[in-house]
Amino acid sequence: MDAPEALTKLNFTVVVPTYNGAKRIPPVLEKLKHQIIPEGLRWEVIVVDNNSRDETASVVQQFQQTWPSAVPLKYVFEAKQGLAYARQCGIDHASGELVGFLDDDNWPAENWVAEATQFGREHPRAGAYGGRIQGVFEAQPDESVRPLLRFLAIRDYGDRPRQYQVLRLEMPPGAGLTVRKTSWLECVPSTLVNINRSGDDYEISLRLARGGWEIWYVPAMTIGHFIPASRLKREYLLNLTHLYGLCTCKLLMTVTPVWRKPFVLSKSFLGSLKRILTHHYRYAFGHSSLEADCMLAFHVGNLKSPIYYLGSLFSR
């Protein structure tokens, strides 16, 4: 596989955060082990063990014994629990200017590293970008679940790259997200406001966009996202959509000037209340659905989000 000379001058780091991932991480590492890489491209893989209590360390050590010598496979331990802490640890240890995050249930296509590196070279103002995310389902979802797959980080916006409209809260999920290390160090604090919340993925893009960096969708960067059957259950989806709604105001506040925050909080609360009342009116005399119930959970989370945001200010 040939590559432009400029491409070979870039370094790329793959960061794989994992918690108790001894059984999940082998397929990810196998996919990375068999990447098709342009000649001369220097890259590495870092597994960040986020305080696991299983055999994750031993599994990585076994892979290191047969890993290609030209591509370092590193293991680091992060004791602070939380995906955001694990990602920051990966950034701290990364030697590449471009850093691609893979969760331990993300299976990259064989050209994922090459495509991510090439896009970063061609778009120097791209601070973060993510690709097409295809679901790999343990059990096939029925039709009632399919409208909700976007909440499970399944993404397909077509075959052409395009910029996300971040200020409208349109952003790539953290699965397969690649960031420019320079932009991260410039814009992302060492502790995000949404630790252990669904919004921490999107906070990264919001902060980078506020710093003037572009956020892109890159369809050539394809990953498979393994979805266990438990994530297709009604209870899980209701809880997930509620969490997404709950973090909305905290995300908005990261890009809202101080003088506008009271207006945005009021607008968010009243808008959510209106959507909830409309929902109840629409389904008062008709049969609801899983999608409708999950959207109600999302709106209820939105309604609570201003209170949740204000509470976080007083708890600091």
Side-chain angles (χ1 to χ4, degrees):
M1 182 176 180
D2 296 326
E5 181 179 354
L7 178 60
T8 65
K9 295 180 180 179
L10 291 177
N11 290 322
F12 193 87
T13 297
V14 180
V15 172
V16 187
T18 185
Y19 170 68
N20 287 344
K23 294 183 179 179
R24 296 187 303 275
I25 204 167
V28 185
L29 294 179
E30 284 292 343
K31 294 289 186 181
L32 290 171
K33 187 176 182 179
H34 295 95
Q35 289 287 295
I36 299 176
I37 300 297
E39 183 178 355
L41 191 155
R42 294 179 296 126
W43 67 295
E44 64 181 352
V45 177
I46 301 176
V47 176
V48 180
D49 184 346
N50 194 197
N51 205 28
S52 296
R53 296 291 186 265
D54 65 356
E55 300 301 315
T56 294
S58 297
V59 170
V60 176
Q61 291 171 2
Q62 292 173 14
F63 271 90
Q64 287 174 326
Q65 295 174 8
T66 59
W67 198 260
S69 58
V71 183
L73 172 59
K74 303 176 183 178
Y75 169 90
V76 295
F77 186 84
E78 173 54 62
K80 287 185 179 180
Q81 202 77 57
L83 181 56
Y85 292 122
R87 286 175 177 161
Q88 182 63 52
C89 177
I91 288 285
D92 293 339
H93 286 83
S95 62
E97 169 56 14
L98 298 170
V99 180
F101 293 108
L102 291 173
D103 296 336
D104 60 15
D105 55 7
N106 297 164
W107 303 344
E110 62 185 8
N111 63 343
W112 186 79
V113 169
E115 293 290 350
T117 307
Q118 182 169 340
F119 187 86
R121 174 185 66 85
E122 294 174 347
H123 297 80
R125 290 305 303 169
Y129 45 98
R132 180 183 278 122
I133 306 176
Q134 301 171 334
V136 181
F137 299 99
E138 182 180 33
Q140 283 301 310
D142 59 38
E143 292 304 314
S144 67
V145 172
R146 291 194 177 277
L148 300 166
L149 292 181
R150 65 187 185 278
F151 289 103
L152 294 170
I154 306 302
R155 294 288 189 277
D156 190 342
Y157 295 123
D159 297 330
R160 294 184 179 182
R162 68 175 179 87
Q163 279 189 249
Y164 280 100
Q165 302 299 311
V166 176
L167 298 183
R168 298 179 184 177
L169 295 187
E170 181 195 40
M171 290 163 285
L177 184 71
T178 294
V179 301
R180 196 174 300 275
K181 188 174 180 179
T182 300
S183 68
W184 180 291
L185 296 177
E186 178 184 304
C187 302
V188 179
S190 58
T191 302
L192 299 176
V193 301
N194 278 292
I195 298 295
N196 294 326
R197 290 285 184 181
S198 299
D200 59 356
D201 289 352
Y202 301 132
E203 185 182 346
I204 295 168
S205 293
L206 275 170
R207 291 187 178 277
L208 295 182
R210 187 176 66 176
W213 293 91
E214 298 171 355
I215 313 297
W216 282 80
Y217 164 72
V218 186
M221 294 168 53
T222 301
I223 65 171
H225 184 191
F226 178 71
I227 308 293
S230 59
R231 295 188 187 178
L232 302 179
K233 301 294 185 181
R234 175 185 177 84
E235 183 178 356
Y236 180 88
L237 291 169
L238 286 170
N239 182 61
L240 179 65
T241 48
H242 180 263
L243 285 177
Y244 268 103
L246 194 62
C247 70
T248 302
C249 272
K250 293 186 77 173
L251 289 173
L252 286 172
M253 293 303 104
T254 64
V255 292
T256 301
V258 174
W259 65 272
R260 290 199 72 234
K261 287 186 177 183
F263 170 77
V264 173
L265 286 172
S266 300
K267 182 180 179 181
S268 175
F269 182 85
L270 293 174
S272 298
L273 182 60
K274 179 182 178 180
R275 285 187 285 271
I276 290 172
L277 293 174
T278 301
H279 179 96
H280 282 301
Y281 176 79
R282 180 179 300 169
Y283 293 101
F285 304 103
H287 179 68
S288 186
S289 65
L290 177 60
E291 179 184 11
D293 292 346
C294 285
M295 292 312 299
L296 178 59
F298 177 76
H299 296 325
V300 170
N302 269 331
L303 185 70
K304 296 178 181 177
S305 67
I307 301 171
Y308 174 71
Y309 167 71
L310 293 172
S312 69
L313 297 180
F314 292 105
S315 63
R316 291 177 181 176

